[in-house]
Amino acid sequence: MSIQMTPVQTPTGGINEIIPVLLPALKDRYAKRALRLKQLAQGHAMGDYLGFCARIAEAQQQLLDQMPLPAEHVAGLSERLGGGQAPLASTDYPRHPYWQQLLQALIERLYPETHAAVRSTLESLRRYTSAELEGLAGALLAGEHEQVDSGQALFLWAALSLYYTQLASALPAGARAHLGEQRQHCPVCASAPVASVIMTGAQAGLRYLQCGLCECRWHMVRLKCSNCEATGALDYWSLDRQDAAIKAESCNECHSYLKVFYPEQDRDQDVLADDLASLALDAEVEREGYGRSGVSPYLFPG
Ligand code: FE
Ligand code: FE
């Protein structure tokens, strides 16, 4: 792990030093995402699905406001820092059943307003025992997508992500960057990125990868493939203009791609929302023979 989470912010060498990890801010996070999804749904070929995902985001916001992560979950987090491992790695960090309470509350909110097909998915999730849900979460977080129904995965992930994002935002941590490789996975939870973002503001011009689970962002230099770290093998694809707000970065070494977001071109971007609304770009790049290296929190395979 070339970015290590530490108990305190390590003193930096100067004002120009790059911050390795940006922890997620919770305030209005899901409300903003819901708004963006609704905006993108207008006149979109996938408008209905974008609108449905907006409802999921609204429900996540309600849960964040009404049943936030209990303070005692945060108490032991500092002990997990400084050991060189991602402190919230799903294989190692003991998940609290609170995430299942989030899932059940999510189901209760969405159930009355969904149609029959979605209802049967929600009902199937309701019937699982706590141990069965834990097994499904473990498989999903390990990337074993064939073990989890893709319809169920959408809701499982929404609850899990709300849990891990709250933990990550509460992490009493700084981060220390080490030169070297292995920045493919989130230094906080070891999950895969959704996409990368070319930042504006204090980090202007720097590339950060955004975690698909805990939603923190970590720095990675722009000239390397985010998957295999090869240099000099990258191509950029966009559907319309040269200065498009979303591009796909493909690698001729490992034949993967990941989307890159340019909020400077579109200040309202939300990585998850805009990722879902730009599937046409994925289709184009996959047609060229590249496979997506990141996760798609709104579209699981299977
Ligand atoms: Fe993460
Ligand atoms: Fe690569």
Side-chain angles (χ1 to χ4, degrees), residues 224-231 233-234 250-257:
K224 284 184 175 184
C225 167
S226 60
N227 186 51
C228 75
E229 314 226 356
T231 51
L234 301 177
S250 68
C251 173
N252 289 317
E253 202 69 47
C254 66
H255 302 285
S256 75
Y257 76 92

Side-chain angles (χ1 to χ4, degrees), residues 111-170:
Y111 189 84
E113 48 190 273
T114 52
H115 53 78
V118 178
R119 280 193 174 190
S120 74
T121 299
L122 296 176
E123 283 162 7
S124 68
L125 284 167
R126 251 187 208 149
R127 283 194 296 269
Y128 287 126
T129 65
S130 179
E132 286 169 334
L133 286 173
E134 208 48 63
L136 289 170
L140 193 57
L141 293 172
E144 295 162 4
H145 294 130
E146 67 288 351
Q147 311 267 4
V148 189
D149 171 80
S150 61
Q152 294 179 344
L154 174 68
F155 304 104
L156 290 164
W157 193 271
L160 286 164
S161 182
L162 181 53
Y163 170 57
Y164 281 100
T165 302
Q166 290 184 84
L167 283 170
S169 79

Side-chain angles (χ1 to χ4, degrees), residues 21-239:
V21 175
L22 304 169
L23 297 175
L26 289 180
K27 188 172 166 24
D28 297 335
R29 184 172 201 92
Y30 301 96
K32 283 186 203 155
R33 180 165 299 155
L35 270 178
R36 179 62 170 174
L37 283 160
K38 283 184 192 168
Q39 184 190 345
L40 292 167
Q42 305 287 327
H44 195 289
M46 286 172 55
D48 286 351
Y49 190 63
L50 286 159
F52 180 62
C53 292
R55 273 302 298 131
I56 296 177
E58 282 172 348
Q60 285 174 305
Q61 184 67 51
Q62 290 169 1
L63 300 183
L64 179 64
D65 296 339
Q66 292 164 16
M67 47 185 291
L69 184 76
E72 61 263 30
H73 294 239
V74 177
L77 287 180
S78 58
E79 292 159 21
R80 306 189 59 81
L81 301 169
Q85 300 298 316
L88 303 178
S90 64
T91 47
D92 182 46
Y93 180 74
R95 260 188 307 284
H96 190 280
Y98 164 72
W99 82 266
Q100 297 191 11
Q101 295 165 20
L102 290 175
L103 177 67
Q104 298 305 340
L106 188 70
I107 292 170
E108 294 323 309
R109 277 168 178 73
L110 295 174
Y111 189 84
E113 48 190 273
T114 52
H115 53 78
V118 178
R119 280 193 174 190
S120 74
T121 299
L122 296 176
E123 283 162 7
S124 68
L125 284 167
R126 251 187 208 149
R127 283 194 296 269
Y128 287 126
T129 65
S130 179
E132 286 169 334
L133 286 173
E134 208 48 63
L136 289 170
L140 193 57
L141 293 172
E144 295 162 4
H145 294 130
E146 67 288 351
Q147 311 267 4
V148 189
D149 171 80
S150 61
Q152 294 179 344
L154 174 68
F155 304 104
L156 290 164
W157 193 271
L160 286 164
S161 182
L162 181 53
Y163 170 57
Y164 281 100
T165 302
Q166 290 184 84
L167 283 170
S169 79
L171 214 55
R176 189 187 297 136
H178 298 275
L179 288 175
E181 314 305 313
Q182 294 170 3
R183 293 204 182 188
Q184 297 92 330
H185 295 108
C186 172
V188 171
C189 77
S191 192
V194 181
S196 68
V197 183
I198 307 301
M199 304 288 283
T200 59
Q203 280 81 33
L206 297 177
R207 188 255 292 266
Y208 283 75
L209 300 181
Q210 179 162 329
C211 177
L213 182 66
C214 81
E215 301 208 18
C216 83
R217 291 177 173 179
W218 69 98
H219 175 251
M220 182 164 188
V221 292
R222 288 170 74 164
L223 52 83
K224 284 184 175 184
C225 167
S226 60
N227 186 51
C228 75
E229 314 226 356
T231 51
L234 301 177
D235 286 317
Y236 292 86
W237 308 78
S238 64
L239 288 182

